[in-house]
Amino acid sequence: MKLLINLAILFLCCIGVSGQTYRKEICVGFRVSSSEIDLDYGDNASNLAEIVGLLTDVQRNPNMEITGVSFCGSASPEGRSLLNKQLVADRCASLEHYIRQRVDLPDSVVFKCDKTDVWQKLAIYVERSDMPHKDDVLYQIRQTPEYTYNAKGTLVDSRKKRLMDMNFGRTWNYMLREFFPSIRNASILMVYIKQKETKQTKQTEIPQEVKTPIQSVDTIPQEISPEETQPMPAAKSSCYFALKTNMLYDALAIPNIGVEVSLGRRWSLAADWMYAWWSNNNKHRYWRVYGGGLSARKWFGYASEQKPLQGHHIGINAQILTYDIEFGGKGYMAGEPEGSLWNRLNYAFGAEYGYSMPIAKRLNIDFSLVAGYMGGRYYEYIPIDGHYVWQATNNRHWWGPTKIEVTLVWLLGNNNYNVKKGGNK
């Protein structure tokens, strides 16, 4: 089909009205964060061959001349703006280098588009789709400023942040998967005309429409209907959550389980519980530990922009626990012997810092450290002739690390999974 279209264009240029202009756009895709031409990616091999073949055919035709070849780059909007700007320039340069190695193009016909409206491209893809909350997404793209600063010049809001916060990240991940790969490309737009009659003065200037960077049909701004300017109703959302186990506790024979739920706007709430009751009366060995904790976390950094429950996090943590640990020598028991659970509790609270990184499609590892205060009463005893003889009562006042986690995190939910390389550009 592409070959037939190219032949038709060449035929029309040969028989058409003198000076009539024709143009054609062909796109070349790039892998995530890459500016290298990859012939194995998508339709790159056939598209690049088509570009080279068409330019060569035009140059060989005595009735035609190339009046402009425009190289335009693009990068999907989830990347950082400065990095994306450099990525666009690098992709344009790579495509131009590839083509000009194979086709001799004079500098006078080569043009570059140093700016591409990727947000408008994204709006077109959203508008043509049947994605959930489509109207809300279009409203944010078209009505929310790309960046919002306060009177002191501090960035306080952005279009990207609004979209990433929608539906706890599910909307952003849908676009990341369905639309961004198509936006992540460089395109070459060729413009050529039939050579003028020899009696006329040969045209030395490129027509005005060629001098102006030509936009793809997909990037032409569209009218916004009055309905789209009205605030959209809040969309219903479902939360991201995960099951967890602290592998350090598991290694100490303390089974434990935790759950964490994303609350949106990069906040989450985590809870965990541990329970171990191992004993050997003949040798007076006890290993009893049970208790749990709560954490409120705030996520930040580039990784957390890509999806919830990933990247750096800080927060506050509170714990309660009771224990009885004795290995045939001296024992330590939290709280009052034979008392109720509340008489035996020790407690801790503090500030935490951690980082959660993906290791598989639905698995993360979270490294966390909590530092703060631990308090409560504990007893020292020794086992003698089947009895436990009290030795001392102590009140714990400990400032320092109160919890260390190397946690295996199992991501749950239809859209709660890791994308390759931790994000796209």
Side-chain angles (χ1 to χ4, degrees):
M1 180 60 70
K2 291 181 179 178
L3 178 59
L4 292 176
I5 293 174
N6 291 339
L7 291 175
I9 291 175
L10 293 174
F11 177 73
L12 289 173
C13 286
C14 292
I15 66 172
V17 178
S18 176
Q20 189 168 356
T21 303
Y22 299 90
R23 65 191 182 200
K24 180 176 178 60
E25 181 178 14
I26 302 176
C27 294
V28 176
F30 288 87
R31 296 189 185 276
V32 177
S33 303
S34 173
S35 59
E36 295 183 4
I37 299 291
D38 186 349
L39 297 179
D40 295 327
Y41 184 70
D43 296 327
N44 282 357
S46 60
N47 287 351
L48 287 168
E50 183 181 4
I51 292 172
V52 173
L54 190 55
L55 287 172
T56 303
D57 290 342
V58 173
Q59 286 182 329
R60 290 175 179 174
N61 192 316
N63 297 319
M64 299 169 59
E65 65 174 340
I66 300 172
T67 59
V69 178
S70 180
F71 295 92
C72 298
S74 181
S76 50
E78 81 273 22
R80 298 179 183 179
S81 57
L82 292 179
L83 294 177
N84 272 358
K85 185 176 180 181
Q86 184 61 49
L87 197 59
V88 167
D90 291 343
R91 287 173 175 175
C92 278
S94 293
L95 183 57
E96 181 183 358
H97 178 73
Y98 182 93
I99 296 300
R100 298 187 76 172
Q101 273 190 327
R102 292 156 177 81
V103 182
D104 185 16
L105 295 174
D107 292 340
S108 60
V109 301
V110 175
F111 299 90
K112 298 178 182 179
C113 301
D114 56 3
K115 183 178 180 182
T116 303
D117 191 349
V118 295
W119 289 109
Q120 187 57 39
K121 275 191 174 183
L122 179 59
I124 296 296
Y125 282 111
V126 171
E127 195 166 41
R128 293 176 178 176
S129 74
D130 56 356
M131 69 174 294
H133 313 294
K134 170 180 170 179
D135 291 339
D136 293 1
V137 175
L138 287 172
Y139 177 81
Q140 295 298 340
I141 293 176
R142 291 170 170 168
Q143 298 299 314
T144 302
E146 186 168 2
Y147 299 104
T148 302
Y149 299 88
N150 61 17
K152 297 181 180 180
T154 302
L155 180 65
V156 295
D157 199 5
S158 69
R159 181 186 303 158
K160 177 180 174 181
K161 181 179 182 299
R162 294 278 188 94
L163 290 170
M164 294 184 71
D165 287 343
M166 287 181 64
N167 310 310
F168 300 99
R170 295 183 66 182
T171 297
W172 184 260
N173 278 315
Y174 181 94
M175 296 189 294
L176 185 75
R177 183 176 64 253
E178 300 295 333
F179 305 145
F180 289 174
S182 299
I183 300 174
R184 194 183 306 119
N185 63 62
S187 62
I188 176 172
L189 182 60
M190 295 164 289
V191 181
Y192 42 90
I193 62 173
K194 179 178 180 293
Q195 189 174 11
K196 289 187 176 183
E197 298 293 337
T198 56
K199 294 181 181 179
Q200 299 178 358
T201 303
K202 185 175 181 179
Q203 183 177 342
T204 57
E205 293 188 359
I206 296 175
Q208 184 63 34
E209 67 170 289
V210 179
K211 290 181 179 180
T212 303
I214 300 173
Q215 289 182 311
S216 165
V217 176
D218 284 351
T219 63
I220 298 175
Q222 299 185 356
E223 296 290 335
I224 300 174
S225 64
E227 292 80 4
E228 289 174 327
T229 62
Q230 301 301 319
M232 297 295 174
K236 295 182 180 180
S237 60
S238 59
C239 58
Y240 280 60
F241 65 102
L243 293 179
K244 313 192 300 178
T245 182
N246 188 345
M247 294 185 290
L248 294 182
Y249 289 180
D250 294 331
L252 294 173
I254 305 176
N256 67 99
I257 189 170
V259 63
E260 185 162 10
V261 180
S262 172
L263 304 178
R265 297 187 178 274
R266 301 194 196 180
W267 283 95
S268 69
L269 184 65
D272 60 84
W273 187 258
M274 56 185 172
Y275 186 92
W277 195 294
W278 318 120
S279 65
N280 187 322
N281 288 330
N282 293 331
K283 297 181 179 179
H284 300 289
R285 291 182 178 179
Y286 281 86
W287 186 253
R288 174 177 62 81
V289 180
Y290 63 91
L294 289 173
S295 293
R297 292 174 167 178
K298 175 67 174 179
W299 298 77
F300 63 97
Y302 178 70
S304 69
E305 293 179 357
Q306 307 308 305
K307 65 182 296 295
L309 308 183
Q310 179 174 286
H312 299 277
H313 58 83
I314 57 176
I316 55 175
N317 173 268
Q319 303 174 68
I320 57 173
L321 72 156
T322 180
Y323 55 85
D324 184 356
I325 300 174
E326 180 262 310
F327 284 97
K330 196 171 187 178
Y332 300 87
M333 178 185 295
E336 182 178 327
E338 302 299 330
S340 67
L341 174 64
W342 302 109
N343 298 130
R344 300 196 301 270
L345 288 179
N346 280 211
Y347 56 89
F349 56 86
E352 72 168 67
Y353 166 77
Y355 183 82
S356 181
M357 58 183 290
I359 59 172
K361 183 175 181 179
R362 289 193 179 271
L363 291 178
N364 283 8
I365 288 185
D366 192 332
F367 301 90
S368 300
L369 174 66
V370 181
Y373 175 78
M374 178 178 286
R377 179 174 296 179
Y378 70 96
Y379 293 80
E380 297 180 20
Y381 66 89
I382 56 175
I384 299 177
D385 297 332
H387 299 282
Y388 303 98
V389 180
W390 169 79
Q391 298 292 301
T393 302
N394 301 287
N395 290 315
R396 186 183 302 280
H397 298 286
W398 163 262
W399 290 92
T402 58
K403 187 177 184 181
I404 300 176
E405 289 186 272
V406 179
T407 302
L408 184 65
V409 182
W410 180 25
L411 305 174
L412 299 175
N414 292 334
N415 293 294
N416 191 14
Y417 54 83
N418 297 314
V419 295
K420 292 182 179 180
K421 298 186 179 180
N424 299 330
K425 292 187 180 63

